[in-house]
Amino acid sequence: MGVHQENIKAAHKARSPLKSEMIEYTQLLEEMKIKISDLPRLSPQNADTRQKAIKVAKMISDNRNLSTLVNEKKKLTRKEMKQFPIEHHKLLKKYKTYIMAWWIIYAKDLIHIKNYIKF
């Protein structure tokens, strides 16, 4: 086997954990009735808004009770949204799907996906 083929095999082996996490992530999204192909369209255009939405997803995953409720219901309801400061309500309503997609990454600790997208 040549050096080039060994490098290709090493690259595939390194991507294997990311690939298996992506398969798991896609399945978890489907359980919440989210299509991975819809995420680009449902993502905030503004970088600051994206960061705020990701911060909210992290807040949800850090709150054990809230995270458990979201995991059981497979969605974020108005009742859960009331637990957040008022400035987050509009963000939660408009980008709920994007926030839930990020919540999955944090709650299920998908480290390879986080590293891949540099979060």
Side-chain angles (χ1 to χ4, degrees):
M1 192 180 319
V3 174
H4 181 68
Q5 288 176 333
E6 288 176 12
N7 289 341
I8 291 172
K9 282 192 173 203
H12 284 293
K13 192 174 184 179
R15 279 188 247 158
S16 183
L18 176 62
K19 185 177 179 179
S20 61
E21 264 191 14
M22 283 302 297
I23 292 167
E24 178 185 359
Y25 182 57
T26 304
Q27 291 169 343
L28 291 166
L29 285 170
E30 287 174 0
E31 287 176 17
M32 298 190 113
K33 299 185 179 17
I34 301 171
K35 292 181 184 176
I36 199 164
S37 60
D38 290 341
L39 289 178
R41 182 178 50 81
L42 299 170
S43 300
Q45 296 296 314
N46 184 294
D48 187 48
T49 306
R50 275 193 309 272
Q51 290 301 318
K52 287 178 184 176
I54 292 167
K55 185 177 178 181
V56 169
K58 179 78 170 125
M59 288 169 46
I60 295 168
S61 72
D62 288 345
N63 182 323
R64 181 175 273 156
N65 293 332
L66 189 55
S67 193
T68 301
L69 282 171
V70 171
N71 195 39
E72 288 172 0
K73 294 181 180 182
K74 303 295 183 206
K75 62 181 177 179
L76 186 62
T77 64
R78 285 190 178 150
K79 184 179 177 182
E80 286 89 36
M81 287 174 24
K82 288 180 182 178
Q83 297 182 30
F84 288 93
I86 291 175
E87 71 262 13
H88 293 307
H89 287 213
K90 185 177 178 183
L91 184 77
L92 283 160
K93 287 179 185 175
K94 189 167 184 180
Y95 298 110
K96 191 186 304 186
T97 304
Y98 183 77
I99 291 168
M100 296 313 312
W102 270 99
W103 170 80
I104 291 170
I105 292 170
Y106 284 119
K108 305 302 180 182
D109 199 28
L110 302 175
I111 57 171
H112 298 290
I113 293 175
K114 278 193 273 187
N115 289 339
Y116 181 76
I117 51 181
K118 308 287 189 255
F119 279 98

